[in-house]
């Protein structure tokens, strides 16, 4: 009887704890939005399907990758907690615009079209698009050879934009880059157009010799952290933190962890 009573008390206390936990969390978020007192929280969103920038391994509880380490380091510099939400790539800019989140870090290339909708931080990574095909494909050796071919891309990306410019190409827009690789391997498409470091990481990580990179890098793109268009204060804070991390070697450390080398210029 006594045991049951103790158990009941424990359960009730546990429940109260959970409720209190939720409550204080909400307060923290509100205070970040209003900027008044309490622990500040930076609400960040990413599309965690883009290794080595953002992904979740099978046994990981936290999101991993270059972007994830970088934004946590930026948050630390800014003295805020970082809360990471996983949203599909094409839903990220809308989520920023409705104000559900404060910032997006997701290997997002800075371009004019997006700059009409959001504000970007200073560039933090130099990238560009590359093509991968099956290892035994001898007909596609360059961007021009993609005419009339089936190409898999991730929906809403710069890769999708570029692929759509190719005459007579049949562009398959999929939800993630992982899906594009699967389509290629299954023989449903002739090529994948996607960011170079992600293609490279995929091939080395999976020691996948059934696919290969062909041709030159198609574009030169810079990744930036996006915030709501009018949030100039946050852009400034992020840029200041980024600058500090580049100066104090922390940026280089994170870069080396994920790419194995020091950045050539940053
Ligand atoms: N850099 C490309 C773009 O900005 C692709 C980014 C995709 N990112 C992702 N997390 N899936 O469109």
């Amino acid at each position: 009887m006594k045991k049951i009573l103790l158990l009941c008390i424990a359960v009730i206390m546990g429940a109260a704890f959970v409720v209190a936990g939720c409550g204080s969390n909400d307060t923290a978020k509100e205070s970040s939005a209003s900027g008044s007192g309490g622990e500040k929280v930076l609400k960040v969103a990413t599309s965690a399907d883009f290794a080595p920038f953002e992904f979740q391994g099978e046994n990981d509880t936290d999101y991993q990758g270059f972007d994830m380490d970088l934004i946590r380091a930026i948050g630390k510099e800014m003295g805020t907690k970082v809360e990471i939400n996983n949203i599909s790539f094409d839903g990220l800019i809308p989520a920023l615009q409705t104000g559900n989140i404060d910032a997006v870090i997701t290997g997002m290339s800075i371009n004019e079209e997006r700059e009409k909708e959001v504000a970007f931080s200073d560039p933090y990574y130099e990238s560009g698009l590359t093509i991968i095909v099956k290892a035994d494909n001898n007909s596609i050796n360059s961007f021009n050879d993609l005419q009339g071919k089936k190409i898999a891309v991730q929906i809403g990306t710069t890769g999708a934009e570029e692929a759509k410019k190719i005459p007579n190409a049949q562009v398959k827009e999929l939800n993630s880059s992982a899906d594009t690789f699967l389509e290629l391997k299954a023989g449903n498409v002739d090529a994948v157009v996607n960011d170079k470091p992600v293609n490279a990481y995929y091939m080395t990580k999976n020691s996948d010799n059934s696919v290969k990179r062909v041709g030159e890098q198609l574009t030169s793109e810079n990744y930036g952290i996006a915030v709501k268009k009018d949030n100039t204060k946050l852009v400034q804070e992020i840029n200041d933190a980024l600058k500090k991390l580049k100066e104090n070697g922390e940026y280089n450390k994170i870069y080396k962890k994920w790419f194995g080398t020091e950045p050539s210029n940053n």
Side-chain angles (χ1 to χ4, degrees):
M1 187 62 204
K2 214 175 177 186
K3 259 192 193 158
I4 292 175
L5 193 70
L6 276 177
L7 192 69
C8 285
I9 293 174
V11 168
I12 291 166
M13 279 178 66
F17 193 69
V18 169
V19 171
C22 293
S24 66
N25 204 8
D26 283 343
T27 327
K29 280 178 208 163
E30 270 163 34
S31 68
S32 121
S34 66
S36 61
E39 188 177 15
K40 288 204 275 174
V41 176
L42 185 68
K43 283 190 272 173
V44 174
T46 193
S47 177
D49 57 6
F50 207 59
F53 293 92
E54 42 267 333
F55 61 101
Q56 197 170 24
E58 258 175 48
N59 303 314
D60 301 338
T61 45
D62 281 341
Y63 297 111
Q64 304 250 1
F66 177 79
D67 285 352
M68 302 295 94
D69 286 349
L70 186 63
I71 197 68
R72 288 188 185 111
I74 287 173
K76 210 164 162 194
E77 274 306 322
M78 287 169 53
T80 62
K81 248 180 92 171
V82 172
E83 174 196 291
I84 294 169
N85 302 279
N86 190 10
I87 299 180
S88 66
F89 188 75
D90 58 340
L92 289 167
I93 289 182
L96 261 188
Q97 287 170 326
T98 55
N100 290 338
I101 50 166
D102 303 313
V104 164
I105 185 161
T106 193
M108 185 177 277
S109 306
I110 302 170
N111 65 27
E112 268 179 34
E113 212 181 316
R114 290 177 181 150
E115 273 175 328
K116 287 183 198 144
E117 304 183 305
V118 296
F120 280 104
S121 70
D122 291 335
Y124 68 84
Y125 185 90
E126 264 190 47
S127 190
L129 299 170
T130 53
I131 305 165
I132 60 172
V133 298
K134 281 240 186 123
D136 58 6
N137 180 322
N138 295 316
S139 62
I140 299 175
N141 297 302
S142 71
F143 195 61
N144 283 337
D145 298 334
L146 291 176
Q147 298 193 15
K149 294 287 193 300
K150 286 189 201 147
I151 307 164
V153 295
Q154 181 175 22
I155 190 164
T157 59
T158 48
E161 287 310 308
E162 286 304 311
K164 285 186 212 164
K165 292 182 194 159
I166 302 167
N168 302 319
Q170 231 177 291
V171 181
K172 258 193 153 172
E173 296 184 84
L174 304 169
N175 280 326
S176 69
S177 47
D179 288 347
T180 65
F181 298 134
L182 286 176
E183 281 294 278
L184 179 65
K185 285 165 73 80
N188 296 334
V189 295
D190 303 300
V192 164
V193 173
N194 190 27
D195 296 38
K196 174 181 170 181
V198 174
N199 286 343
Y201 188 85
Y202 169 79
M203 288 189 279
T204 36
K205 197 74 196 168
N206 301 298
S207 328
D208 197 336
N209 299 322
S210 70
V211 298
K212 64 179 180 189
R213 175 188 160 180
V214 291
E216 298 293 308
Q217 185 173 316
L218 308 179
T219 54
S220 180
E221 305 180 9
N222 276 309
Y223 295 166
I225 299 165
V227 308
K228 207 171 177 192
K229 200 160 167 55
D230 56 7
N231 202 345
T232 39
K233 182 166 172 268
L234 185 55
V235 175
Q236 192 56 54
E237 285 175 347
I238 291 173
N239 284 342
D240 290 347
L242 197 56
K243 191 160 169 262
K244 267 256 188 70
L245 297 172
K246 285 188 176 176
E247 281 164 6
N248 69 16
E250 191 61 28
Y251 174 93
N252 279 20
K253 233 168 93 185
I254 298 172
Y255 193 101
K256 195 148 188 216
K257 172 177 167 190
W258 292 104
F259 304 105
T261 56
E262 300 273 331
S264 46
N265 57 35
N266 55 61

